[in-house]
Amino acid sequence: MIVEALGSVLLGCLFSWAAVRWLSDRLPAPRVVYASGALGALFGAYLTHAAIGSGHLLATLLGALLVAGVTVSLLVRPAARRLRRGSAAA
C-alpha cells in the first residue's frame, strides 16, 4: 500500500511537470498544478485500490495516472484569442 501511494504521488508530480512544461501559458501557478496532480493521483490510487483490491500494482498506478490527468485537465484555461476589429478604411 505504501508503494502504491508513493508511486502514485510520483506519477502525479511527473504528469504535472509535463503539463506545466508544455501548457504553462494555459495553466495557473505551478504550485496549484503540482498539488492538484499529486492529490488527484493519490485519490485515483485509493479509488482503484478500493475497486479492484490489493495485489494489482500496475492497475492501481494506471488508475492514479488517469485521475491525475483528469484533475490537471480541469485546470487548463482556453487559449487566448485576439479580437479583430474591422478597420475604418475598409
Side-chain angles (χ1 to χ4, degrees), residues 8-62:
S8 66
V9 169
L10 181 65
L11 279 176
C13 288
L14 287 174
F15 188 86
S16 299
W17 172 79
V20 167
R21 181 175 164 97
W22 287 304
L23 298 170
S24 63
D25 57 332
R26 297 178 60 189
L27 288 169
R31 265 190 202 173
V32 175
V33 178
Y34 287 123
S36 297
L39 290 175
L42 195 58
F43 178 70
Y46 170 73
L47 191 67
T48 308
H49 182 82
I52 62 174
S54 60
H56 302 285
L57 178 65
L58 292 178
T60 302
L61 293 178
L62 180 64

Side-chain angles (χ1 to χ4, degrees), residues 60-80:
T60 302
L61 293 178
L62 180 64
L65 188 61
L66 290 174
V67 175
V70 168
T71 306
V72 171
S73 74
L74 292 173
L75 299 174
V76 177
R77 292 178 259 186

